[in-house]
Amino acid sequence: MNAPTDITHLLPTVAQREVPADFIAALQARFGAQCSTALAVREQHGRDESTFTVPPPAAVVFAQSTQDVADAVALCAQHKVPVIPFGVGSSLEGHLLAVQGGISIDVGRMDKVLSINAEDLTVTVQPGVTRKALNEAVKSEGLFFPIDPGADASIGGMTATRASGTNAVRYGTMRENVLALEVVTARGEVLRTGTRAKKSSAGYDLTRLMVGSEGTLGVITEVTLKLYPLPEAISAAICSFPTIEAAVRTVIQVIQLGVPIARCELIDANTVRMVNAHSKLGLREEHMLLMEFHGSPASVQEQAETVQEIASEFGGNAFEWATTPEERTRLWTARHNAYFAAIQSKPGCRAVSTDTCVPISRLADCLLDSVAEADAAGLPYFLVGHVGDGNFHFGYLIDPDSAEERRIAEALNVKLVARALRLEGTCTGEHGVGLHKMGFLLDEAGAGAVEMMRTIKRALDPDNILNPGKIFAL
Amino acid sequence: MNAPTDITHLLPTVAQREVPADFIAALQARFGAQCSTALAVREQHGRDESTFTVPPPAAVVFAQSTQDVADAVALCAQHKVPVIPFGVGSSLEGHLLAVQGGISIDVGRMDKVLSINAEDLTVTVQPGVTRKALNEAVKSEGLFFPIDPGADASIGGMTATRASGTNAVRYGTMRENVLALEVVTARGEVLRTGTRAKKSSAGYDLTRLMVGSEGTLGVITEVTLKLYPLPEAISAAICSFPTIEAAVRTVIQVIQLGVPIARCELIDANTVRMVNAHSKLGLREEHMLLMEFHGSPASVQEQAETVQEIASEFGGNAFEWATTPEERTRLWTARHNAYFAAIQSKPGCRAVSTDTCVPISRLADCLLDSVAEADAAGLPYFLVGHVGDGNFHFGYLIDPDSAEERRIAEALNVKLVARALRLEGTCTGEHGVGLHKMGFLLDEAGAGAVEMMRTIKRALDPDNILNPGKIFAL
């Protein structure tokens, strides 16, 4: 580990490669109005929700089809120009930043739901479909797609970062819910990584290799996903706790008893205050678990009773139920807005987000010491978490122009990650490595595993044009 | 596709590479009595449950530690000698056969359960632990490992082939249940592919890349797995059906209704007859579904009632329940012995196994036409299947010395696979590609995807020493 105060390895290295003028001309000839070099468009595609600022890409191609993507990548391959896929721009770790220059391919217009196979509980979509649009499209079939990272992210982006979110404790992550992909390779070739069969032993798992590869191994142009029947009964509840520890101990016991809870989120008292201020909610300003139960009416009741019993053993009180869809939507909207509520609580600030995930038995050890450290450091922060998975996020609120605040935030993150790794966890449960966690990945996976990743990358993308400079230095 | 009667591409290509004498001497110097060149030992390690016969490996190393594996692979790397990992020898597609010569590393003595983390529902084992031994070890903690391919396979082998089996319809396959691995690379280096965190976005999913790679990318030396609490209630049932179609339609509806059935197996009437003869069971000799339900007592009853209702709509009758552990064990033993019962029904025969898996809505289309074809061909066969997953197995019983019987069996398989691929399925749900399905993999995945696999293989194993000649020609 670097010393806690040395954060230089956490800042992006910008080394822009040349973008030849004849390449831009060829791009414009092929794509016409679908290609933009306007500064505002480029700037919008050259940033995400991370705290970093780097120069924007040289051009943006708005792809409308797999062929568009293949042609754009083939041109990039021919001219050895970097290419960065763009969904909605909600990633948190600098994934979209053009640190080596090149162009952005915006797949937002590839937003068709291509086929819903309700009988097989599968759906195939273009990568620009967002999770909310997908759920809207399959609702009338009595189905839903559970993966919910909060932001209305694109399915392509969620696939590329191996996203998860609030429902993962029950339904898994993108790792478990992507059945097959269509991908454009570094040479601009189109291939499929799987079928609609529920399981397969047919060779290397290229699907899982692409999921979480952050645009560095291929550009995703179609995604086949699992769907789930809308639960017969859904019930959400909030419960307040006197301490964070009481809430965390409750969660640990709920998980260890095997309760099939669908969502299990922690929001600390301070973040509840921010959410109240932002969303005018009137929630009790105490540490809180926000939970949801899915199943038959009998099963939902059984789960809820078990959880209520455990919570009360740990001093949980003020159990409040939300059984109508409207009440539930209100609660989950508040949860999802925690990030924006926090950002607005300190004008002009940005959030340095943490994303550690540890085995559930280590959750209290990991979380409580980190809360104490954050309190001692004096930076404002929000704290939310998919605690049923052992995953939680601090968002340290910094003035992006203050080197000192950034240093304090990054030093807290360095300590937190080191702790999570000691406890057999990971530096990133769901946000990905991007620019920001390359050093942490090395600490976590070891030089040998990272070198194996690099070897795969070099083999599949010898000219290093696919989102270069992310996950590992190359 | 090749013409249905041309099966030459399904037979193994044997091209043994030189094994230098000084390599064998170095191996013996390092491993002493742990290294055998006795013919009987080599022959036992040079065959599996496939129908192929090729010359055995030149030596067998009985590894007792990760260091043993690393040292053996490093010696192989130095001398460019092929190395094939061996668990218990239960694979079905020629995975273990030394088609390019080299040595076998038997990991059977690496049979320690290294750590049970009951609070996190995880366990870490050496690769030679078998699934039954694992379940024995975790039973006292109230836990179990559900993946059950029938044979008492090694966890290393199950990982390498991405195995699944009877419980996959509810619990997933090795793909979903391996959390992390320790692997020895082609250079003899040891690395870990993940942590004990339930989810992670930390770089490429090396774990999933290794799962199902059939020993071609690394030798697995440790496996961290998910465990599950033993269900509060378990109930098994058999139900007879007038036709295979009636049984299959029942299954489709059960799955589409979202019943969380834990096991859902089809056994056709002819196979029931073989099982009766082998295990003296006295089962009704009709097409049958063998099912199991896991959950709370109320949930198990709810599931069972739903399924009984659906079955009776399709003419299912003679629902018989097995609620005691002894009765259940008897039924599942009978199911698992179907393969051996069939083999014994035709002395000296071997089984050509099929392994297609299709989306559940296509199951009847895929299965019924294939039954008609098998009946018309006149070869005896067994038919069993994890039909809740859309996965089923014909085992065509052939005299291995009869070219004509082999031709008929392979031609049936060729037709079946072509049908499954048309129906958006896979040529192999759980057995793997091995030697036997390389042509089918090409049909299924396409030349581009197979070339991507080959590129990864070449990059990670440039001298092609790790189980060469499997999955794809190289």
Side-chain angles (χ1 to χ4, degrees), chain A residues 119-120 161-162 164 169 175 196 198-201 203-204 208 216 256 361 389 391 424 426 428, chain B residues 119-120 161-162 164 169 175 196 198-201 203-204 208 216 256 361 389 391 424 426 428 430:
Chain A
E119 290 190 313
D120 298 319
T161 52
R162 205 180 295 127
S164 49
V169 61
R175 179 175 73 190
R196 287 208 303 115
K198 193 182 158 196
K199 63 184 195 182
S200 173
S201 290
Y204 300 165
R208 244 57 46 185
T216 65
Q256 288 178 349
S361 71
D389 286 324
N391 182 210
E424 299 181 84
T426 176
T428 175
Chain B
E119 289 190 314
D120 298 319
T161 52
R162 205 180 296 126
S164 50
V169 62
R175 180 175 73 190
R196 288 207 303 114
K198 195 182 158 197
K199 62 183 195 182
S200 174
S201 290
Y204 300 166
R208 244 53 51 185
T216 65
Q256 288 177 350
S361 71
D389 286 323
N391 182 210
E424 298 180 86
T426 176
T428 177
E430 56 182 19

Side-chain angles (χ1 to χ4, degrees), chain A residues 117-121 161-165 168-170 173 175-176 178-179 183 185 187 189-206 208-214 216-217 226 229 232 252 255-258 296-299 302 355 357-362 386 388-389 391 421 423-433 441 444-445 448-457 459-460 471-472, chain B residues 117-121 161-165 168-170 173 175-176 178-179 183 185 187 189-206 208-214 216-217 226 229 232 252 255-258 296-299 302 355 357-362 386 388-389 391 421 423-433 441 444-445 448-457 459-460 471-472:
Chain A
N117 292 87
E119 290 190 313
D120 298 319
L121 302 173
T161 52
R162 205 180 295 127
S164 49
V169 61
R170 170 143 175 180
T173 72
R175 179 175 73 190
E176 287 81 19
V178 175
L179 268 177
V183 172
T185 71
R187 289 195 297 190
E189 290 169 351
V190 181
L191 57 84
R192 300 198 72 86
T193 64
T195 70
R196 287 208 303 115
K198 193 182 158 196
K199 63 184 195 182
S200 173
S201 290
Y204 300 165
D205 192 343
L206 298 181
R208 244 57 46 185
L209 182 63
M210 291 293 163
V211 173
S213 65
E214 306 187 6
T216 65
L217 296 178
K226 293 187 196 171
E232 204 186 332
I252 292 173
I255 298 299
Q256 288 178 349
L257 276 177
S296 68
S299 144
E302 205 174 16
D355 185 30
C357 181
V358 292
I360 192 76
S361 71
R362 313 300 182 88
H386 317 306
D389 286 324
N391 182 210
L421 299 188
L423 297 170
E424 299 181 84
T426 176
C427 66
T428 175
E430 56 181 18
H431 293 170
V433 175
L441 177 66
E444 174 175 334
V450 174
E451 188 51 36
M452 182 175 273
M453 295 180 201
R454 251 196 216 100
T455 303
I456 294 167
K457 165 73 171 172
L460 297 182
I471 304 183
F472 34 68
Chain B
N117 292 86
E119 289 190 314
D120 298 319
L121 302 173
T161 52
R162 205 180 296 126
S164 50
V169 62
R170 169 142 174 181
T173 73
R175 180 175 73 190
E176 286 82 18
V178 176
L179 267 177
V183 172
T185 70
R187 290 194 295 188
E189 291 170 347
V190 181
L191 58 83
R192 301 199 72 87
T193 64
T195 70
R196 288 207 303 114
K198 195 182 158 197
K199 62 183 195 182
S200 174
S201 290
Y204 300 166
D205 192 344
L206 299 180
R208 244 53 51 185
L209 181 63
M210 291 292 163
V211 173
S213 65
E214 305 187 7
T216 65
L217 296 179
K226 292 185 197 173
E232 203 186 335
I252 294 174
I255 298 299
Q256 288 177 350
L257 276 178
S296 69
S299 145
E302 204 175 17
D355 185 30
C357 181
V358 292
I360 192 76
S361 71
R362 311 301 180 88
H386 317 305
D389 286 323
N391 182 210
L421 299 189
L423 296 169
E424 298 180 86
T426 176
C427 65
T428 177
E430 56 182 19
H431 293 169
V433 176
L441 177 65
E444 175 176 331
V450 174
E451 189 50 35
M452 182 175 274
M453 295 180 201
R454 251 197 217 101
T455 304
I456 293 167
K457 165 73 170 169
L460 297 183
I471 304 182
F472 34 68

Side-chain angles (χ1 to χ4, degrees), chain B residues 265-345:
Chain B
E265 298 286 306
L266 172 72
I267 312 181
D268 84 323
N270 187 43
T271 309
V272 177
R273 270 190 291 279
M274 295 175 184
V275 167
N276 273 344
H278 178 266
S279 305
K280 313 276 174 294
L281 269 184
L283 296 168
R284 290 166 67 104
E285 296 186 345
E286 298 179 319
H287 309 299
M288 150 191 309
L289 289 180
L290 176 46
M291 295 168 282
E292 197 166 277
F293 307 96
H294 295 177
S296 69
S299 145
V300 163
Q301 197 184 332
E302 204 175 17
Q303 294 173 49
E305 279 167 12
T306 307
V307 170
Q308 232 167 330
E309 217 167 278
I310 297 170
S312 70
E313 274 172 40
F314 289 103
N317 54 50
F319 233 87
E320 288 172 30
W321 290 93
T323 44
T324 70
E326 295 71 29
E327 285 175 284
R328 283 203 311 274
T329 302
R330 190 173 133 264
L331 281 181
W332 287 110
T333 305
R335 160 67 186 89
H336 287 335
N337 285 342
Y339 175 80
F340 301 104
I343 294 283
Q344 291 189 6
S345 73

Side-chain angles (χ1 to χ4, degrees), chain B residues 79-291:
Chain B
H79 295 268
K80 299 195 181 7
V81 169
V83 52
I84 305 169
F86 184 98
V88 305
S90 55
S91 59
L92 289 159
E93 298 294 355
H95 296 95
L96 303 172
L97 276 55
V99 286
Q100 296 188 20
I103 68 161
S104 172
I105 296 187
D106 185 325
V107 297
R109 297 183 191 171
M110 294 175 69
D111 61 354
K112 287 185 198 62
V113 175
L114 298 172
S115 63
I116 302 171
N117 292 86
E119 289 190 314
D120 298 319
L121 302 173
T122 70
V123 65
T124 299
V125 301
Q126 289 187 310
V129 172
T130 68
R131 68 172 182 89
K132 285 185 186 170
L134 172 57
N135 275 307
E136 207 48 52
V138 301
K139 198 168 60 176
S140 63
E141 302 278 354
L143 302 173
F144 80 118
F145 181 66
I147 311 303
D148 167 14
D152 190 19
S154 69
I155 296 297
M158 289 167 62
T159 304
T161 52
R162 205 180 296 126
S164 50
T166 57
N167 278 307
V169 62
R170 169 142 174 181
Y171 298 94
T173 73
M174 291 305 277
R175 180 175 73 190
E176 286 82 18
N177 286 287
V178 176
L179 267 177
L181 297 169
E182 182 189 78
V183 172
V184 171
T185 70
R187 290 194 295 188
E189 291 170 347
V190 181
L191 58 83
R192 301 199 72 87
T193 64
T195 70
R196 288 207 303 114
K198 195 182 158 197
K199 62 183 195 182
S200 174
S201 290
Y204 300 166
D205 192 344
L206 299 180
T207 304
R208 244 53 51 185
L209 181 63
M210 291 292 163
V211 173
S213 65
E214 305 187 7
T216 65
L217 296 179
V219 182
I220 294 163
T221 49
E222 270 185 39
V223 188
T224 300
L225 298 165
K226 292 185 197 173
L227 295 173
Y228 296 81
L230 279 166
E232 203 186 335
I234 301 181
S235 191
I238 52 178
C239 179
S240 295
F241 290 86
T243 61
I244 293 181
E245 176 161 12
V248 169
R249 300 271 174 219
T250 299
V251 172
I252 294 174
Q253 197 156 337
V254 166
I255 298 299
Q256 288 177 350
L257 276 178
V259 179
I261 194 165
R263 291 167 144 169
C264 185
E265 298 286 306
L266 172 72
I267 312 181
D268 84 323
N270 187 43
T271 309
V272 177
R273 270 190 291 279
M274 295 175 184
V275 167
N276 273 344
H278 178 266
S279 305
K280 313 276 174 294
L281 269 184
L283 296 168
R284 290 166 67 104
E285 296 186 345
E286 298 179 319
H287 309 299
M288 150 191 309
L289 289 180
L290 176 46
M291 295 168 282

Side-chain angles (χ1 to χ4, degrees), chain A residues 25-46:
Chain A
L27 209 61
Q28 284 170 328
R30 164 62 180 82
F31 288 102
Q34 280 175 255
C35 177
S36 174
T37 53
L39 182 63
V41 172
R42 295 192 289 122
E43 281 185 339
Q44 190 227 329
H45 288 78

